[in-house]
Amino acid sequence: MLIHPTPGLEPDQFPQSDWKRLVDLLLLSRRLDEVEETELAPAKEIFYQFSARGHDMAQIMLGLRIDDPNDAVSGYYRSRPMLLPLGVAPEEMLRSALGREGGYSSGRDIGVVFNRMSDTQPHVLPMAGGVGAQFTPALGYAQAIKYYQDTLGDTGYDSAIAVAAGGDGSVASNGFWSALTGATTLEVPLLFYIEDNGYAISVPSSLQVPDGDISTNLSGWHGLEIFSGSGSDPLEAQQLTAGAVAHVRESRAPALLHLRVPRLQGHSLQDTQAYKATDLLERERADDPLARLRALLEGSILSTRDWAAAETRARNLVDEALEIARAAPLPDTSSLLAHVYGTAEKPLRKVSPSQADGPRINMADAVRRTLEQELSDNERIVVFGEDVGQKGGIHGVTVGLQERFGAERVFDTHLSEEGIVGRAVGMALAGLMPVPEIQFRKYADPAMEQINDCGTLRWRTCNRASAPMVLRMPVGFSRCGDPWHSQTNEVAFVHNPGWKVAVPSNASDAAGLLRTALRGCDPVVFFEHRMLLDNAHARRSWDGPDHVVPFGSAAMIASGDDLTIVTWGAMVQRCEIASEGRSVDVIDLRTLAPWDTQTVVASVRKTHRCLIVHEDLRAAGFGAEIAAAISEAAFLDIDAPVTRVTMPDVPSPHSPILLEEAVPSVERIRQAIDDLIGF
């Protein structure tokens, strides 16, 4: 339903305290923008400035209604005014703008992306710089609210909501449509707040949705209540904002609050708005919500003297905040490498000897058993993705889990990898341990923005927030291959700081690494190689519920004196076979981030030769990183060129004949072994 405001309202239909608080915060927001635009930016004390003038009044109205301790706001770079009523201090905002120690990130991120995770106040989910990236984490947080409320019976979430704020340009993004689909099909308490100024930098909103009106275009969308009108008219904006928030709180269902606002400054301070006609600029200035609010209230709710006093308070507050912010120290350069990973993992328990001689199981069963045990032990673990529920996953790894633990904990999602990973971020921020699945490595590409944002989250918030999860992903060739289902490309994830990457080659390591990941505090990419899921060579004994494998600890599969072979995943078996009858160290890395540099270098110093074997492409594959590390650490110990056996730089072919030619074969590996030993 599309809801428009009721005409004829009067200011006294809202509490006087609301109006007075609104005036104080609006003037405070304007003063913050003014100081940045006229003082800090010209002096090059700040490098980014995104004015909220014109957007500010409606944002503050919404922020005044975000008052449940378990509420969460997922905003974007122009969302600062909304944070003022949430209690975020102006000095914290200015410390961030100035890139000083403290603030939101201690100088690690631009000052306009905010965060605050609190035990007593509404949360501000860590913002990201990408347009539209804020929506699916908000969906995940809203789904977590429902999980706490309905599944765990936590009454503290009975009225909590999530808010996703964005501009009119963001409604064209993948994240918006994914979150909209998820919110309405799942019926979660998520408020979409779209502040529509008509332009995404210079691109008019008519190029984002037909006729530039998201409300009209969504008016037939089932399960979505729409509140649409002016964000400049104080009475209209108050009515619509109050109605939208009340609807989501009471119905526990999503709504869209779509308010039209003027953008009284360019997209950023460098934007002159030369693309706007003069008459449009004049109409926008005439629609300034601050002027309209003063005209409405002065003489009734506030006197002229009251208004002047409020302006003085705002000026004094910002001047004091700026003095505090400028006095804050510059970032400590010695801390640059801190907080890429967390340090709060649960202690890893040792393998129980009485359970180490169980029946041999395949890797798929090992993963399933581990998930089953951890789901039983930790009520905050949820497993989800496309087809993981009733079907049990397209590779059968999650068979039976939904039947045992219910559709609230093991569930299917709509087809959107951005949505799968993005909602996992929001769930993790809400305190759950999500285990999302991407069906094949290639399918993760649409989610790479969320993957990158998740990995950097702890670092860019200076350890104020983190989003631990285990992102399961089948990779590699099977009986055949193809460019869409057989990619490995592990290095793409290693190149995302903050992620740990596991590449088990057998059932025991799969169980141990997965259990470590599920009990950890960092996001983990967990690769399940398709060829190994039911491979006889990868079968191992079930080591019991306490078996763990630490990340960054390689396994020595074979020991010798003439050559070091470094490999992982499906290539471990081929390297073992190829090295039979030869005196070589065969090292299974097991994890690529972090990887066990110490074991590899020590082996190379002993054997003086190294062969690296991996399934991924040769160019910029992870083998190149290993070779470079060996060259740096053991150059004087090497008696032969560090050599790689890899796939050629082509997509994975479908025909088994072509595939076997592309993937490193036992024969190719054996020949490389002999060539290096004989060098």
Side-chain angles (χ1 to χ4, degrees), residues 55 59 74-79 82 131-132 134-135 163-171 176 191-197 256-259 261:
H55 292 230
Q59 279 194 33
S74 185
Y76 73 120
Y77 49 81
R78 216 181 299 280
S79 295
M82 195 187 307
V131 174
Q134 67 270 34
F135 291 110
V163 177
D168 51 282
S170 69
V171 303
F176 175 79
L191 175 62
F192 294 87
Y193 171 52
I194 301 301
E195 43 188 11
D196 185 349
N197 62 43
L256 171 68
L257 175 61
H258 176 213
L259 298 181
V261 296

Side-chain angles (χ1 to χ4, degrees), residues 573-628:
Q573 176 184 356
R574 296 191 175 198
C575 288
E576 283 188 78
I577 297 171
S579 64
E580 289 175 354
R582 290 147 179 87
S583 180
V584 301
D585 280 356
V586 179
I587 299 174
D588 177 1
L589 284 183
R590 302 199 289 196
T591 66
L592 300 185
W595 67 283
D596 192 348
T597 313
Q598 184 176 353
T599 294
V600 171
V601 170
S603 174
V604 171
R605 284 175 174 161
K606 178 187 72 170
T607 67
H608 309 294
R609 293 169 173 80
C610 185
L611 174 66
I612 303 163
V613 181
H614 63 68
E615 181 183 337
D616 196 7
L617 308 185
R618 182 179 183 86
F622 194 68
E625 171 66 22
I626 297 170

Side-chain angles (χ1 to χ4, degrees), residues 131-177:
V131 174
Q134 67 270 34
F135 291 110
T136 52
L139 168 64
Y141 191 94
Q143 190 172 354
I145 289 174
K146 186 173 183 178
Y147 183 82
Y148 281 119
Q149 185 181 5
D150 296 348
T151 305
L152 301 185
D154 189 335
T155 58
Y157 289 83
D158 284 353
S159 64
I161 67 171
V163 177
D168 51 282
S170 69
V171 303
S173 69
N174 294 341
F176 175 79
W177 292 100

Side-chain angles (χ1 to χ4, degrees), residues 27-53 80 90-91 93-95 97-98 265 269 311 313-326:
L27 291 172
L28 180 58
S29 178
R30 288 293 172 103
R31 179 59 183 161
L32 285 166
D33 278 337
E34 181 184 8
V35 163
E36 290 179 342
E37 292 166 1
T38 63
E39 185 175 342
L40 301 183
K44 294 184 170 38
E45 291 187 72
I46 63 173
F47 306 108
Y48 287 92
Q49 206 284 328
F50 293 87
S51 172
R53 286 188 291 126
R80 183 170 68 185
E91 55 265 28
M93 297 174 172
L94 288 170
R95 267 204 310 270
L98 292 166
Q265 176 65 43
L269 192 60
E311 290 178 326
R313 285 195 300 274
R315 181 175 292 275
N316 290 340
L317 279 171
V318 173
D319 289 348
E320 292 170 8
L322 183 56
E323 185 177 352
I324 294 171
R326 279 177 165 154

Side-chain angles (χ1 to χ4, degrees), residues 327-503:
L330 293 170
D332 180 3
T333 56
S334 68
S335 69
L336 177 66
L337 302 182
H339 308 313
V340 176
Y341 296 114
T343 57
E345 284 93 342
K346 299 176 184 177
L348 298 181
R349 296 175 288 181
K350 295 181 180 179
V351 178
S352 171
S354 63
Q355 296 173 314
D357 297 321
R360 288 174 64 85
I361 59 174
N362 65 20
M363 186 186 287
D365 198 20
V367 172
R368 180 168 52 253
R369 287 193 188 191
T370 306
L371 288 173
E372 185 175 32
Q373 176 218 329
E374 296 297 317
L375 280 161
S376 298
D377 291 348
N378 184 354
E379 64 183 3
R380 295 194 175 199
I381 292 178
V382 288
V383 177
F384 56 94
E386 296 160 22
D387 300 304
V388 306
Q390 191 172 25
K391 181 177 175 62
I394 60 172
H395 298 96
V397 176
T398 56
V399 166
L401 294 183
Q402 186 181 83
E403 183 178 359
R404 175 171 177 183
F405 296 101
E408 297 80 16
R409 300 194 64 195
V410 181
F411 54 88
D412 293 325
T413 66
H414 65 278
L415 202 160
S416 168
E417 285 76 20
E418 150 113 9
I420 291 171
V421 179
R423 81 167 71 176
V425 172
M427 289 177 175
L429 289 168
L432 302 183
M433 171 52 87
V435 185
E437 179 187 290
I438 302 294
Q439 285 186 342
F440 296 96
R441 157 63 193 96
K442 181 69 175 66
Y443 294 1
D445 288 349
M448 289 307 292
E449 181 176 43
Q450 291 294 339
I451 289 170
N452 178 268
D453 291 349
C454 176
T456 63
L457 200 154
R458 184 190 296 276
W459 182 88
R460 59 187 164 86
T461 64
C462 207
N463 205 34
R464 290 162 59 116
S466 62
M469 69 176 70
V470 179
L471 178 57
R472 297 177 44 248
M473 200 179 309
V475 296
F477 68 94
S478 184
R479 291 180 296 274
C480 61
D482 65 73
W484 318 111
H485 303 90
S486 306
Q487 191 179 93
T488 51
N489 192 217
E490 311 100 335
V491 73
F493 300 93
V494 176
H495 210 65
N496 276 286
W499 282 91
K500 293 182 176 178
V501 179
V503 284

Side-chain angles (χ1 to χ4, degrees), residues 21-33 52 56-57 59-64 66 79-94 104 114 116 121 124 314 317-318 321:
R21 180 72 173 140
L22 172 62
V23 169
D24 280 340
L25 294 174
L26 180 53
L27 291 172
L28 180 58
S29 178
R30 288 293 172 103
R31 179 59 183 161
L32 285 166
D33 278 337
D56 37 18
M57 184 186 74
Q59 279 194 33
I60 293 167
M61 287 178 173
L62 178 56
L64 287 168
I66 306 304
S79 295
R80 183 170 68 185
M82 195 187 307
L83 309 190
L84 291 170
L86 300 183
V88 180
E91 55 265 28
E92 186 174 9
M93 297 174 172
L94 288 170
Y104 304 113
F114 314 121
R116 186 188 67 186
Q121 297 175 295
V124 180
L317 279 171
V318 173

Side-chain angles (χ1 to χ4, degrees), residues 1-22:
M1 180 186 296
L2 181 56
I3 298 174
H4 294 288
T6 303
L9 291 178
E10 296 296 334
D12 58 10
Q13 293 184 259
F14 297 94
Q16 286 196 16
S17 59
D18 284 5
W19 291 118
K20 292 178 179 178
R21 180 72 173 140
L22 172 62

